[in-house]
Amino acid sequence: MFSHIYYGVSDFERAYGFYSKLMACLAIQERFCDRDKPWAGWNSDSSNGRPLFVISKPFNGEAHDAGNGQMIAFSAKDRATVTAAYDLAIENGATCEGRPGLRSEYHESYFGAYFRDLDGNKVCVVCHGAE
């Protein structure tokens, strides 16, 4: 369905440090990093290289601005990984938008956590499987 998802960041090195740790926790592999552009991309399926999650300075050269109502959600293999990713994000400067827990309003096994990255972009980590 998706080719790539692109998040603008204000400070590439700071964002790269944050997302490198988060992606490693989620077992999502880095596919490229070019500090000259600057941009970096990750994905968990190396067979076709898509979809990618990409961070970069905004393409138009304007200042980054986090949107209201947009969010990216990364899948986690289990509930412990959701909690570990959330804890790691908070320890590295993210702000809480919802602690790890069941959210049965979505479905009975939805276990998610929400936070904003260092630039205010909203991120979710979720496991859809039963414990």
Side-chain angles (χ1 to χ4, degrees):
M1 175 192 260
F2 295 106
S3 167
H4 60 281
I5 297 169
Y6 183 106
Y7 259 179
V9 298
S10 61
D11 180 330
F12 177 78
E13 288 299 328
R14 180 180 73 154
Y16 177 73
F18 178 85
Y19 278 106
S20 291
K21 292 173 188 169
L22 181 63
M23 297 298 117
C25 180
L26 295 170
I28 299 172
Q29 297 179 350
E30 182 177 308
R31 299 297 176 203
F32 65 87
C33 177
D34 182 345
R35 286 179 162 85
D36 292 332
K37 286 199 185 259
W39 67 335
W42 296 262
N43 82 343
S44 56
D45 179 7
S46 63
S47 63
N48 68 4
R50 301 286 177 194
L52 280 170
F53 172 67
V54 179
I55 61 167
S56 180
K57 294 253 185 171
F59 186 75
N60 66 3
E62 300 292 323
H64 168 269
D65 183 22
N68 183 28
Q70 63 191 24
M71 174 181 68
I72 187 168
F74 293 104
S75 291
K77 66 181 179 177
D78 54 34
R79 294 176 182 186
T81 302
V82 171
T83 300
Y86 171 85
D87 290 344
L88 183 142
I90 297 301
E91 290 169 9
N92 284 279
T95 56
C96 177
E97 286 282 322
R99 296 186 53 75
L102 283 170
R103 304 234 175 10
S104 58
E105 63 271 25
Y106 302 130
H107 65 75
E108 66 183 26
S109 297
Y110 188 105
F111 188 89
Y114 300 84
F115 53 89
R116 292 202 179 260
D117 73 8
L118 306 176
D119 285 297
N121 298 307
K122 193 168 183 182
V123 178
C124 170
V125 178
V126 61
C127 174
H128 293 281
E131 189 63 23

Short mmCIF file of all heavy atoms in Angstrom, two decimals, residues 3-45:
data_model
loop_
_atom_site.label_atom_id
_atom_site.label_comp_id
_atom_site.label_asym_id
_atom_site.label_seq_id
_atom_site.Cartn_x
_atom_site.Cartn_y
_atom_site.Cartn_z
N SER A 3 4.58 3.30 -0.36
CA SER A 3 5.95 3.29 -0.85
C SER A 3 6.88 3.76 0.26
O SER A 3 7.87 3.11 0.57
CB SER A 3 6.09 4.23 -2.05
OG SER A 3 7.44 4.46 -2.34
N HIS A 4 6.52 4.90 0.87
CA HIS A 4 7.33 5.43 1.96
C HIS A 4 6.51 6.44 2.77
O HIS A 4 5.53 6.98 2.28
CB HIS A 4 8.62 6.06 1.45
CG HIS A 4 8.40 7.19 0.50
ND1 HIS A 4 8.09 6.99 -0.83
CD2 HIS A 4 8.44 8.53 0.67
CE1 HIS A 4 7.95 8.17 -1.43
NE2 HIS A 4 8.15 9.12 -0.54
N ILE A 5 6.95 6.63 3.98
CA ILE A 5 6.40 7.66 4.86
C ILE A 5 7.58 8.55 5.23
O ILE A 5 8.65 8.06 5.60
CB ILE A 5 5.75 7.04 6.10
CG1 ILE A 5 4.56 6.18 5.66
CG2 ILE A 5 5.34 8.12 7.09
CD1 ILE A 5 3.98 5.32 6.74
N TYR A 6 7.39 9.83 5.13
CA TYR A 6 8.47 10.81 5.26
C TYR A 6 8.12 11.77 6.39
O TYR A 6 7.06 12.39 6.36
CB TYR A 6 8.56 11.55 3.93
CG TYR A 6 9.65 12.58 3.77
CD1 TYR A 6 10.75 12.31 2.98
CD2 TYR A 6 9.54 13.84 4.35
CE1 TYR A 6 11.73 13.27 2.78
CE2 TYR A 6 10.52 14.79 4.16
CZ TYR A 6 11.62 14.50 3.38
OH TYR A 6 12.59 15.45 3.18
N TYR A 7 8.98 11.86 7.39
CA TYR A 7 8.81 12.82 8.49
C TYR A 7 9.88 13.89 8.37
O TYR A 7 11.08 13.58 8.29
CB TYR A 7 8.96 12.13 9.84
CG TYR A 7 7.68 11.80 10.55
CD1 TYR A 7 7.72 11.16 11.78
CD2 TYR A 7 6.43 12.11 10.04
CE1 TYR A 7 6.57 10.84 12.46
CE2 TYR A 7 5.27 11.79 10.71
CZ TYR A 7 5.35 11.16 11.92
OH TYR A 7 4.21 10.84 12.60
N GLY A 8 9.45 15.13 8.35
CA GLY A 8 10.39 16.24 8.40
C GLY A 8 10.93 16.41 9.80
O GLY A 8 10.21 16.19 10.78
N VAL A 9 12.18 16.81 9.90
CA VAL A 9 12.82 17.03 11.20
C VAL A 9 13.59 18.34 11.16
O VAL A 9 14.02 18.78 10.10
CB VAL A 9 13.76 15.85 11.57
CG1 VAL A 9 12.98 14.54 11.70
CG2 VAL A 9 14.90 15.69 10.58
N SER A 10 13.74 18.95 12.32
CA SER A 10 14.45 20.23 12.37
C SER A 10 15.95 20.07 12.53
O SER A 10 16.72 20.90 12.06
CB SER A 10 13.89 21.10 13.50
OG SER A 10 14.08 20.45 14.75
N ASP A 11 16.38 19.02 13.22
CA ASP A 11 17.80 18.77 13.48
C ASP A 11 18.06 17.31 13.10
O ASP A 11 17.72 16.40 13.85
CB ASP A 11 18.10 19.02 14.95
CG ASP A 11 19.55 18.78 15.33
OD1 ASP A 11 20.22 17.92 14.72
OD2 ASP A 11 20.02 19.44 16.29
N PHE A 12 18.65 17.09 11.93
CA PHE A 12 18.81 15.73 11.43
C PHE A 12 19.60 14.85 12.37
O PHE A 12 19.20 13.72 12.66
CB PHE A 12 19.46 15.73 10.04
CG PHE A 12 19.70 14.33 9.54
CD1 PHE A 12 18.65 13.58 9.03
CD2 PHE A 12 20.96 13.75 9.62
CE1 PHE A 12 18.85 12.27 8.60
CE2 PHE A 12 21.17 12.45 9.19
CZ PHE A 12 20.11 11.71 8.68
N GLU A 13 20.74 15.29 12.85
CA GLU A 13 21.58 14.44 13.70
C GLU A 13 20.85 14.04 14.98
O GLU A 13 20.93 12.90 15.42
CB GLU A 13 22.92 15.12 14.02
CG GLU A 13 23.86 15.19 12.84
CD GLU A 13 24.27 13.82 12.28
OE1 GLU A 13 24.37 12.85 13.05
OE2 GLU A 13 24.49 13.74 11.06
N ARG A 14 20.15 14.97 15.58
CA ARG A 14 19.39 14.68 16.80
C ARG A 14 18.29 13.67 16.49
O ARG A 14 18.12 12.67 17.19
CB ARG A 14 18.80 15.97 17.35
CG ARG A 14 17.98 15.80 18.61
CD ARG A 14 17.44 17.12 19.07
NE ARG A 14 16.35 17.51 18.17
CZ ARG A 14 15.36 18.31 18.49
NH1 ARG A 14 15.32 18.86 19.68
NH2 ARG A 14 14.42 18.61 17.63
N ALA A 15 17.54 13.89 15.40
CA ALA A 15 16.47 12.97 15.01
C ALA A 15 17.03 11.60 14.62
O ALA A 15 16.45 10.56 14.96
CB ALA A 15 15.66 13.57 13.87
N TYR A 16 18.14 11.59 13.92
CA TYR A 16 18.76 10.33 13.51
C TYR A 16 19.15 9.49 14.73
O TYR A 16 18.91 8.29 14.78
CB TYR A 16 19.97 10.60 12.61
CG TYR A 16 20.68 9.34 12.20
CD1 TYR A 16 20.12 8.48 11.26
CD2 TYR A 16 21.90 9.00 12.75
CE1 TYR A 16 20.77 7.31 10.88
CE2 TYR A 16 22.56 7.84 12.39
CZ TYR A 16 21.98 7.00 11.45
OH TYR A 16 22.63 5.84 11.10
N GLY A 17 19.74 10.15 15.72
CA GLY A 17 20.09 9.44 16.95
C GLY A 17 18.87 8.84 17.63
O GLY A 17 18.88 7.70 18.08
N PHE A 18 17.78 9.61 17.68
CA PHE A 18 16.53 9.16 18.30
C PHE A 18 15.95 7.97 17.54
O PHE A 18 15.65 6.92 18.10
CB PHE A 18 15.54 10.32 18.34
CG PHE A 18 14.20 9.97 18.92
CD1 PHE A 18 14.00 10.01 20.29
CD2 PHE A 18 13.14 9.62 18.10
CE1 PHE A 18 12.76 9.70 20.83
CE2 PHE A 18 11.90 9.30 18.63
CZ PHE A 18 11.71 9.34 20.00
N TYR A 19 15.77 8.12 16.22
CA TYR A 19 15.13 7.08 15.43
C TYR A 19 16.01 5.85 15.25
O TYR A 19 15.50 4.73 15.15
CB TYR A 19 14.63 7.62 14.09
CG TYR A 19 13.30 8.30 14.25
CD1 TYR A 19 13.18 9.67 14.20
CD2 TYR A 19 12.15 7.55 14.49
CE1 TYR A 19 11.95 10.30 14.38
CE2 TYR A 19 10.92 8.17 14.66
CZ TYR A 19 10.82 9.53 14.62
OH TYR A 19 9.61 10.14 14.79
N SER A 20 17.31 6.00 15.23
CA SER A 20 18.20 4.83 15.15
C SER A 20 17.97 3.91 16.34
O SER A 20 17.89 2.68 16.18
CB SER A 20 19.66 5.26 15.09
OG SER A 20 19.94 5.89 13.87
N LYS A 21 17.86 4.48 17.52
CA LYS A 21 17.61 3.67 18.72
C LYS A 21 16.22 3.04 18.69
O LYS A 21 16.06 1.87 19.01
CB LYS A 21 17.77 4.54 19.97
CG LYS A 21 19.18 5.00 20.21
CD LYS A 21 19.26 5.99 21.35
CE LYS A 21 20.64 6.57 21.46
NZ LYS A 21 20.69 7.72 22.37
N LEU A 22 15.22 3.83 18.30
CA LEU A 22 13.85 3.32 18.25
C LEU A 22 13.72 2.19 17.23
O LEU A 22 13.14 1.13 17.51
CB LEU A 22 12.87 4.44 17.94
CG LEU A 22 11.39 4.03 17.88
CD1 LEU A 22 10.91 3.52 19.24
CD2 LEU A 22 10.54 5.22 17.42
N MET A 23 14.28 2.37 16.04
CA MET A 23 14.18 1.35 15.01
C MET A 23 14.92 0.08 15.42
O MET A 23 14.44 -1.03 15.17
CB MET A 23 14.73 1.86 13.67
CG MET A 23 13.98 3.03 13.07
SD MET A 23 12.27 2.65 12.67
CE MET A 23 11.45 3.79 13.76
N ALA A 24 16.05 0.21 16.08
CA ALA A 24 16.78 -0.98 16.56
C ALA A 24 15.93 -1.74 17.56
O ALA A 24 15.87 -2.98 17.52
CB ALA A 24 18.11 -0.57 17.17
N CYS A 25 15.24 -1.05 18.45
CA CYS A 25 14.37 -1.69 19.43
C CYS A 25 13.25 -2.46 18.75
O CYS A 25 12.84 -3.52 19.21
CB CYS A 25 13.80 -0.63 20.37
SG CYS A 25 12.71 -1.27 21.65
N LEU A 26 12.77 -1.95 17.63
CA LEU A 26 11.67 -2.57 16.89
C LEU A 26 12.14 -3.55 15.82
O LEU A 26 11.33 -4.09 15.07
CB LEU A 26 10.81 -1.48 16.25
CG LEU A 26 10.08 -0.57 17.23
CD1 LEU A 26 9.45 0.60 16.50
CD2 LEU A 26 9.05 -1.34 18.04
N ALA A 27 13.45 -3.78 15.73
CA ALA A 27 14.05 -4.67 14.73
C ALA A 27 13.74 -4.22 13.30
O ALA A 27 13.54 -5.02 12.40
CB ALA A 27 13.62 -6.13 14.94
N ILE A 28 13.72 -2.90 13.11
CA ILE A 28 13.53 -2.32 11.79
C ILE A 28 14.90 -1.84 11.31
O ILE A 28 15.56 -1.06 11.98
CB ILE A 28 12.51 -1.16 11.84
CG1 ILE A 28 11.15 -1.68 12.32
CG2 ILE A 28 12.40 -0.48 10.48
CD1 ILE A 28 10.13 -0.60 12.58
N GLN A 29 15.34 -2.32 10.16
CA GLN A 29 16.71 -2.11 9.70
C GLN A 29 16.91 -0.80 8.96
O GLN A 29 16.07 -0.40 8.15
CB GLN A 29 17.12 -3.26 8.80
CG GLN A 29 17.13 -4.58 9.51
CD GLN A 29 17.52 -5.73 8.59
OE1 GLN A 29 17.63 -5.58 7.38
NE2 GLN A 29 17.77 -6.87 9.18
N GLU A 30 18.05 -0.18 9.24
CA GLU A 30 18.43 1.00 8.47
C GLU A 30 18.81 0.57 7.06
O GLU A 30 19.55 -0.39 6.88
CB GLU A 30 19.62 1.70 9.13
CG GLU A 30 20.03 2.96 8.41
CD GLU A 30 21.16 3.69 9.11
OE1 GLU A 30 21.04 3.95 10.32
OE2 GLU A 30 22.15 3.99 8.43
N ARG A 31 18.30 1.27 6.07
CA ARG A 31 18.60 0.97 4.68
C ARG A 31 19.55 1.98 4.07
O ARG A 31 20.28 1.67 3.14
CB ARG A 31 17.32 0.89 3.85
CG ARG A 31 16.38 -0.19 4.31
CD ARG A 31 17.02 -1.56 4.16
NE ARG A 31 16.12 -2.58 4.70
CZ ARG A 31 16.50 -3.76 5.12
NH1 ARG A 31 17.76 -4.10 5.08
NH2 ARG A 31 15.63 -4.60 5.59
N PHE A 32 19.50 3.22 4.55
CA PHE A 32 20.45 4.23 4.06
C PHE A 32 20.51 5.39 5.04
O PHE A 32 19.60 5.63 5.81
CB PHE A 32 20.09 4.73 2.66
CG PHE A 32 18.78 5.49 2.60
CD1 PHE A 32 18.73 6.86 2.85
CD2 PHE A 32 17.61 4.84 2.28
CE1 PHE A 32 17.54 7.55 2.79
CE2 PHE A 32 16.41 5.52 2.21
CZ PHE A 32 16.37 6.88 2.46
N CYS A 33 21.63 6.08 4.98
CA CYS A 33 21.81 7.34 5.71
C CYS A 33 22.81 8.16 4.90
O CYS A 33 23.91 7.72 4.63
CB CYS A 33 22.34 7.10 7.12
SG CYS A 33 22.66 8.65 8.01
N ASP A 34 22.38 9.34 4.49
CA ASP A 34 23.24 10.25 3.75
C ASP A 34 23.20 11.59 4.47
O ASP A 34 22.25 12.35 4.35
CB ASP A 34 22.75 10.39 2.31
CG ASP A 34 23.64 11.28 1.47
OD1 ASP A 34 24.48 12.02 2.03
OD2 ASP A 34 23.47 11.25 0.24
N ARG A 35 24.22 11.85 5.23
CA ARG A 35 24.28 13.08 6.03
C ARG A 35 24.43 14.34 5.17
O ARG A 35 24.16 15.43 5.63
CB ARG A 35 25.39 12.98 7.05
CG ARG A 35 25.04 12.03 8.19
CD ARG A 35 26.18 11.92 9.19
NE ARG A 35 25.72 11.39 10.45
CZ ARG A 35 25.60 10.10 10.72
NH1 ARG A 35 25.90 9.20 9.80
NH2 ARG A 35 25.20 9.71 11.91
N ASP A 36 24.87 14.19 3.93
CA ASP A 36 25.01 15.34 3.05
C ASP A 36 23.66 15.89 2.59
O ASP A 36 23.53 17.07 2.33
CB ASP A 36 25.86 14.99 1.83
CG ASP A 36 27.31 14.74 2.20
OD1 ASP A 36 27.79 15.30 3.20
OD2 ASP A 36 27.96 13.95 1.48
N LYS A 37 22.65 15.04 2.49
CA LYS A 37 21.33 15.51 2.00
C LYS A 37 20.60 16.34 3.05
O LYS A 37 20.01 17.33 2.65
CB LYS A 37 20.48 14.34 1.55
CG LYS A 37 20.97 13.78 0.23
CD LYS A 37 19.90 12.96 -0.43
CE LYS A 37 20.43 12.32 -1.67
NZ LYS A 37 20.08 12.96 -2.89
N PRO A 38 20.43 16.12 4.27
CA PRO A 38 20.56 14.87 5.02
C PRO A 38 19.24 14.10 5.03
O PRO A 38 18.17 14.68 5.10
CB PRO A 38 20.90 15.36 6.42
CG PRO A 38 20.14 16.65 6.55
CD PRO A 38 20.12 17.25 5.17
N TRP A 39 19.37 12.75 4.98
CA TRP A 39 18.20 11.90 5.13
C TRP A 39 18.62 10.49 5.49
O TRP A 39 19.78 10.09 5.30
CB TRP A 39 17.32 11.94 3.91
CG TRP A 39 17.86 11.35 2.62
CD1 TRP A 39 19.17 11.19 2.25
CD2 TRP A 39 17.09 10.86 1.54
NE1 TRP A 39 19.25 10.65 0.98
CE2 TRP A 39 17.98 10.42 0.52
CE3 TRP A 39 15.74 10.73 1.30
CZ2 TRP A 39 17.56 9.87 -0.68
CZ3 TRP A 39 15.31 10.19 0.10
CH2 TRP A 39 16.22 9.77 -0.87
N ALA A 40 17.68 9.73 6.05
CA ALA A 40 17.92 8.33 6.42
C ALA A 40 16.60 7.58 6.28
O ALA A 40 15.52 8.18 6.42
CB ALA A 40 18.45 8.22 7.85
N GLY A 41 16.70 6.27 6.01
CA GLY A 41 15.50 5.47 5.84
C GLY A 41 15.65 4.08 6.42
O GLY A 41 16.75 3.53 6.44
N TRP A 42 14.54 3.54 6.89
CA TRP A 42 14.49 2.22 7.50
C TRP A 42 13.31 1.44 6.94
O TRP A 42 12.30 2.02 6.55
CB TRP A 42 14.28 2.32 9.02
CG TRP A 42 15.36 2.97 9.78
CD1 TRP A 42 16.37 2.36 10.47
CD2 TRP A 42 15.56 4.37 10.00
NE1 TRP A 42 17.18 3.28 11.08
CE2 TRP A 42 16.70 4.54 10.81
CE3 TRP A 42 14.88 5.53 9.59
CZ2 TRP A 42 17.17 5.78 11.22
CZ3 TRP A 42 15.35 6.76 10.00
CH2 TRP A 42 16.49 6.88 10.80
N ASN A 43 13.44 0.11 6.94
CA ASN A 43 12.30 -0.75 6.69
C ASN A 43 12.57 -2.13 7.27
O ASN A 43 13.71 -2.48 7.55
CB ASN A 43 11.87 -0.79 5.23
CG ASN A 43 12.66 -1.72 4.36
OD1 ASN A 43 13.74 -2.15 4.73
ND2 ASN A 43 12.14 -2.04 3.21
N SER A 44 11.51 -2.91 7.44
CA SER A 44 11.66 -4.23 8.04
C SER A 44 11.62 -5.35 7.01
O SER A 44 11.83 -6.49 7.35
CB SER A 44 10.59 -4.45 9.11
OG SER A 44 9.31 -4.27 8.56
N ASP A 45 11.36 -5.03 5.77
CA ASP A 45 11.28 -6.05 4.73
C ASP A 45 12.29 -5.72 3.65
O ASP A 45 12.10 -4.83 2.84
CB ASP A 45 9.86 -6.08 4.13
CG ASP A 45 9.73 -7.11 3.02
OD1 ASP A 45 10.68 -7.89 2.80
OD2 ASP A 45 8.68 -7.13 2.38
#
